[in-house]
Amino acid sequence: INIGTGKDYSINELTNKMLKILIPERKITILYDKSKPNGTPRKVLDVSIAKKYGWTSRYKFDDAILNTYKKFLTQKNKK
């Protein structure tokens, strides 16, 4: 079951965090098209009920992103 962590990040925060994890040696500038709608203002899941039963996030965000990327590369190289 994937219920999230209950933490809220903006798209900009997520993008910068992922770039810092995956390619820390490169400086990348992201350009946004501000003429387009920005989507849902918040994308955070409420995990309060799960926490009442003792649930906590199993993975740290940085570790999960890096592990997912490594798995992707492994699968990509098998094809």
Side-chain angles (χ1 to χ4, degrees), residues 40-56:
T40 308
R42 296 192 68 204
K43 296 168 182 67
V44 63
L45 298 173
D46 180 2
V47 295
S48 60
I49 292 173
K51 285 187 174 188
K52 281 184 185 178
Y53 292 97
W55 177 87
T56 59

